[in-house]
Amino acid sequence: MPNNMTQTKEKLNYFQEDIDSELTVHGDGAVYYSFYKDLLREPSLRKGIFELVNNSQTIPLKTLNAVQQLALVPEIVTSIMLEVVGRHGVDPVYFYLGMMFGLQGVYLASLFVTSWIMSGTFLAGLLAAGWFIINRTDATRIEESVPLRENWVFPFLAIQVAALTWYLRHDGKSFLADFVYMLMCATSYISMIMWEYTHYLLFVQAISVCLLDGLSLIGKMKVFDLYKMYLAAVYLGYLFTSRTSALLTSPLLSLVAALMIGQCLKGTVTHWTFQAKLLSIMFFCSQFILAAYLNLLIGNFVTHTGNPVLQAVKVKVGLKMTNGDPVSREITPEEGRVGERPEVIYHVIQSLIIGLLAQNFEGLKCLWTPYVCVIAGFGVCSPALWITLFKWLRVRTVNPVMLAFLLSAIVPAVLGFSLWREFLPRMANELSELEYKSDTMGAMYWIKSQTPKKAVIAASPLLMGDIKLCTGRMVASLPVYSDEELMRRNEQMYQIYSMKSAEDIYKILTSYKVNYMVIEESVCNDLSRIDNCRVKDLLDTANDHVETEDGYVYSFSQYERFCQEIKFNRPPYVNYFTRVYWNRSYFIYKINAVIAFKS
């Protein structure tokens, strides 16, 4: 008997440790790690991939192609690497996290190199890396959820941008130039395969390259090579993402095709007269018009669900140019002609475009902040920029070249020391604070140990990701927003926080074969008032249960909020649901198979 008790206690401790380690991967990112975990359970990698492509054990009444719909290429690659290293003595959780944080180190190093290439001094790279670390909450979402697709892709895009910066700065053919071009191509292909939205970011990059071409800052052959890189990335992405139609109807494909046609038709400007300048601007704008027509034409022949429409880019060109040819020689820092360096102009244009988009799409803030860090490091440490500034100010009392090199070393040193004094104690405190999620671990342990293995759990979409990962139970939906059916399911699952009747919620849950329901206190009793963007507010608006701040009711519901009323254990709620577990943060209810009406 004591041996049985000891074995039971050890088993419970194992479950708790397992759940505790897996809760380090939480939120919507838990969905990706859960499929990585499912992949490792299978006897072979081929069998695991087959089960992911034909997954019917995650969501009831639905077969999910998880590899395509969730872009699980990183998880497949990580599992292959784990097999190569050997599973013995290696924790899959920490191997996965190690891969992810290793890529973040590559991300930081790429920003360092990019700023170094632009400025010519490693001090700019150090300053850019320091600013990135300090502003990491705005520059990366890895602290919120590790396995998000952008956390995998942004390091490869950062490598691509660093390579592009070098490629734009240096002219001529060499082994190093060919290597940098191949590095650009490879990282573009990898990013396209790993994330479904990469083609939008490359579209913005293609616009920046197009503007550089319009300003005659880069040669025709170099532009053609970059356009070929984008086309190849779209083609390979189409092949390796189950031939998704989103890439065929993407604005990147239409834009690059139009620009390449325009390059073939474009003649050489021998005299830069007013008429020639006007014709060049008209021709430049016609390329974007052609791109729009190509996109519409492709959309008529390819079945697609629709893509977000990027805002039109208005281009204005007006620089001193001769013969329409770019500057062929490398500009030295002593000349101070920063405005003629294509890699600098590229980063300025790119950051302006992404910055404008980030004002409307908050998710792009994580992409824009690293650009700001790189440009800020370049601006402080670049001798060429200081020399340009002194020439504008007509500084003659001292040697502007010597003063520029002196300031480009002193200013970053002073800034770095001040940042070190201000932010190092704060970062040390953040690293020393470990949040122990006892309530979440308790709820997950109860589900894993007290519910049948075939049970279906309903909760908010983010929590269902944690439930699938930590317990292995089926869930009513997943936090996947590229699938229309799953989006409808998510909306239905959120109704447990709406003002609907117990019977309505019961019908919704039983229609998806749900056995247990989890209510989160943080959602049900959310007291924040930020532009009425709480889950409860959005549900009330969608269900026409709206009340303005002055108390005026447009329409109303005859029922109170379900997630609050069910806690009182009164009819008719107890007729449909039975509370089986609760703590400070979660209430778990069993869906009654046979309705027991109680007075």
Side-chain angles (χ1 to χ4, degrees), residues 493-553:
M493 293 306 108
Y494 269 129
Q495 295 299 326
I496 61 179
Y497 302 104
S498 68
M499 292 187 288
K500 286 194 172 184
S501 67
E503 183 181 3
D504 290 338
I505 302 299
Y506 181 82
K507 289 179 179 179
I508 291 174
L509 297 178
T510 53
S511 67
Y512 293 111
K513 308 298 182 182
V514 173
N515 305 114
Y516 293 88
M517 168 184 63
V518 183
I519 293 179
E520 300 170 72
E521 282 290 278
S522 60
V523 180
C524 184
N525 294 319
D526 187 359
L527 299 178
S528 62
R529 281 284 181 180
I530 305 176
D531 297 328
N532 292 325
C533 285
R534 301 175 303 177
V535 171
K536 298 184 293 185
D537 300 326
L538 297 175
L539 287 169
D540 292 345
T541 302
N543 297 332
D544 291 330
H545 304 151
V546 183
E547 181 178 354
T548 61
E549 293 182 358
D550 57 3
Y552 181 78
V553 179

Side-chain angles (χ1 to χ4, degrees), residues 110-129 165 347 373-379 381:
S110 301
L111 298 178
F112 171 85
V113 171
T114 302
S115 193
W116 188 353
I117 293 172
M118 291 176 63
S119 63
T121 172
F122 73 95
L123 292 175
L126 291 176
L127 206 56
T165 303
H347 280 280
C373 295
V374 168
I375 293 177
F378 159 77
C381 301

Side-chain angles (χ1 to χ4, degrees), residues 42 98 134 206 210 216 299 305 369 379 396 426 461 496-497 517 554:
E42 299 298 332
I134 292 168
C210 175
S216 292
T305 57
T369 304
R396 301 180 184 276
R426 184 189 305 177
I496 61 179
Y497 302 104
M517 168 184 63
Y554 289 106

